[in-house]
């Protein structure tokens, strides 16, 4: 009897064991991106730009052409690659320190020029790789090693809502926020990534996909409790949904 | 081809286009803004790409992306702008992505001043980014030398997969002189480079990574071999060395041009004088200094538009104590006249004669 594969490793992900912490949702984000590349038959036409921080570990698992950019500069690198090779699928994969702190300038200007690339933003509200420092997305009241036991807005301001910020610009074509805390949410996220990549490959313009993620290690909690934190604390502050999409899709 | 009367910035930009440059990213800063202005007009005419970065940092990272794609890519800036770019230049070197970078030096430190200077020799030659790496650095004196060097700059960058500097100043960028531009060269096929990013269809995926591999000695060994090869094969230098020269003047760029006129004048006056004018300062023309006969040559005078002088350290290393080395230091931002340099050089010779070696 011929058995049909109903679930297998996406072709763009290597068989190496990943080095993320147990329960980290980076691996889920990696996987759904790779599944979309397979579904679009785009693996061989993809150029990925990875950042600095935990998200850079992805560079060890993706089987596409790729480079790693300096901290925060991934959009500047990616937009040049796309302009030189306009028929390729070019995406960046960046965490919140990279994208919203040191790379805020490149993030906003690349979006404002409407560069035809896709920016995938992993928001876990903390610096992961360096060990739990305050990120631009750290929630009010959240603990971090540089913001004390409770982020105080009087001292350090409020967490950036990146989708809402980018939604102030004219040029972007697709802006959406999803979460990776549950299967239904992960399925939505995958659809959003596919929509963003499709818009890019049709020459549509800039797309920004934020994925609410976790960091049980630096949140000092268990993977299971980290999902609860995402649902009870992060999603209420960072509302999910498609903030902007092309008219023909509505 | 006929001579044209061109401004330095525009001639250099056009020479880059003719060498095959099809990507330029820049940011306005005096005294090189004419380069991005020219490229913004010229790139669309030749099917190239012009991008004005949101910062110097963005511009060098755009060049990183274009170079990674296999395109002859260039950026341009001045001193403090180059300081910002050094982050990206270090990444270019580590990821082995080629690029050409123009540095129109201005006086410093800080905002300093916007006129010609040679205050950033150290920046380009010694510390073009974190981590301890080198770039090839060309150091032309005239606009003609600049345009003749541009083709070589791209070829060496792509041969070595390493960033290349052309070290200039506000004077070369903004003067006009007759120049014979090189012919338009065919643009290299970006898919012919077997390392560039193009999508892995039909082949194994390629990675251009600024992260050192598991074995950190691999990059260090490759780089060390490359720098040694430059010293053997890629030194460019203009030598004017009479057999019995007692005094040797050395200078590069605009200072080299002014000092050259002074050397001719002193020789007419009967002084046994020669000149070493580096056209690459990295690799530094060590052999030109090593071969000097310490029996006849008793003094080397280094002329720089920088105080303290910077290249003089490399001259002293090359000479290794065999011959006395003095520096005529003109603070960055001051363009000396022929007369200033003449008086400076004759003053140093007089002082040495009076006080002895």
């Amino acid at each position: 009897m011929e058995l049909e594969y109903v679930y297998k490793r996406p072709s763009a992900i290597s068989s190496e064991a990943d080095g993320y912490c147990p329960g980290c949702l980076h691996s889920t984000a990696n996987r759904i991106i790779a599944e979309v590349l397979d579904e679009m038959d785009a693996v061989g036409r993809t150029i990925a730009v990875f950042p600095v921080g935990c998200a850079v570990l992805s560079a060890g698992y993706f089987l596409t052409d790729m480079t790693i950019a300096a901290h925060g500069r991934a959009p500047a690198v990616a937009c040049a690659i796309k302009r030189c090779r306009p028929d390729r699928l070019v995406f960046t994969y960046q965490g919140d320190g990279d994208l919203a702190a040191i790379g805020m300038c490149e993030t906003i200007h690349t979006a404002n020029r409407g560069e035809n690339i896709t920016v995938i933003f992993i928001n876990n509200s903390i610096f992961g790789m360096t060990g739990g420092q305050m990120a631009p997305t750290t929630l009010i009241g959240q603990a971090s090693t540089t913001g004390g036991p409770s982020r105080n807005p009087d001292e350090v301001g409020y967490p950036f809502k990146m989708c809402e910020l980018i939604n102030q610009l004219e040029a972007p074509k697709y802006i959406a926020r999803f979460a990776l805390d549950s299967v239904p949410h992960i399925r939505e996220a995958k659809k959003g990534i596919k929509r963003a990549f499709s818009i890019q490959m049709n020459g549509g313009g800039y797309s920004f996909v934020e994925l609410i993620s976790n960091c049980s290690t630096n949140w000092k909690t268990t993977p299971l409790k980290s999902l609860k934190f995402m649902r009870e604390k992060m999603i209420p502050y960072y509302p999910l949904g498609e903030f902007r999409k092309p008219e023909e899709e509505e | 081809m006929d001579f044209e009367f061109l401004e330095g910035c525009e001639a250099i930009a056009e020479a880059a286009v003719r060498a095959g440059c099809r990507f330029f990213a820049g940011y306005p800063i005096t005294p090189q803004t004419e380069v991005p202005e020219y490229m913004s007009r010229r790139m669309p005419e030749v099917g190239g790409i012009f991008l004005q970065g949101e910062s110097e940092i963005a511009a060098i990272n755009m060049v990183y992306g274009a170079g990674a794609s296999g395109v002859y890519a260039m950026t341009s800036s001045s001193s403090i702008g180059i300081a910002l770019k050094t982050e990206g230049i270090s990444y270019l070197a580590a990821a082995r992505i080629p690029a050409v970078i123009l540095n129109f030096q201005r006086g410093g430190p800080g905002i300093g001043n916007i006129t010609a200077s040679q205050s950033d020799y150290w920046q380009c030659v010694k510390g073009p980014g974190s981590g301890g790496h080198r770039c090839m650095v060309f150091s032309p004196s005239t606009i003609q030398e600049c345009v003749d060097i541009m083709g070589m700059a791209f070829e060496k960058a792509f041969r070595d997969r390493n960033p290349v500097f052309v070290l200039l100043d506000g004077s070369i960028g903004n003067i006009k002189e007759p120049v014979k531009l090189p012919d338009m060269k065919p643009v290299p096929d970006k898919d012919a480079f077997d390392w560039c990013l193009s999508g892995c269809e039909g082949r194994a995926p390629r990675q251009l990574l600024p992260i050192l591999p598991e074995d950190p000695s691999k990059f260090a060994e490759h780089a060390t071999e490359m720098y040694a090869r430059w010293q053997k094969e890629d030194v460019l230098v203009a030598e004017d060395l009479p057999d019995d020269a007692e005094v040797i003047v050395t200078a590069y760029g605009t200072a080299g041009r002014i000092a050259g006129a002074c050397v001719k004048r002193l020789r007419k006056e009967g002084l046994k004088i020669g000149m070493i004018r580096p056209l690459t300062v990295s690799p530094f023309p060590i052999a030109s200094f090593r071969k000097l006969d310490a029996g006849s040559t008793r003094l080397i005078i280094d002329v720089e538009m920088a105080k303290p002088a910077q290249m003089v350290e490399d001259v002293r290393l090359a000479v290794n104590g065999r011959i006395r080395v003095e520096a005529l230091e003109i603070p960055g931002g001051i363009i000396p006249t022929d007369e200033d340099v003449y008086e400076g050089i004759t003053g140093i010779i007089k002082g040495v004669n009076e006080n002895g070696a």
Side-chain angles (χ1 to χ4, degrees), chain A residues 64-90:
Chain A
T64 62
D65 273 17
M66 71 168 72
T67 187
I68 295 172
H71 37 224
R73 320 301 177 213
V77 171
C79 79
I81 292 174
K82 183 71 181 186
R83 284 182 182 237
C84 290
R85 296 193 174 268
D87 60 341
R88 303 286 117 166
L89 195 162
V90 180

Side-chain angles (χ1 to χ4, degrees), chain A residues 44-45 47 59 63-68 70-71 73 76-77 80-81 83-85 88 105-106 109 113 115, chain B residues 49 51 54 57 61-62 64-65 69 87 91 190-191 196-201 203 205-208 210-211:
Chain A
R45 290 176 291 134
I47 302 173
L63 299 173
T64 62
D65 273 17
M66 71 168 72
T67 187
I68 295 172
H71 37 224
R73 320 301 177 213
V77 171
I81 292 174
R83 284 182 182 237
C84 290
R85 296 193 174 268
R88 303 286 117 166
C105 185
E106 285 78 7
H109 282 270
R113 285 194 305 271
E115 299 284 353
Chain B
I49 296 155
L51 268 171
E54 54 271 30
I57 297 170
N61 282 285
M62 289 165 176
Y64 183 101
S69 308
E87 170 194 295
Y91 275 71
K190 58 181 186 281
D191 291 316
C196 75
L197 305 182
S198 59
C200 64
E201 198 116 67
R203 59 161 173 78
R206 290 177 186 158
Q207 301 185 320
L208 291 174
I211 290 179

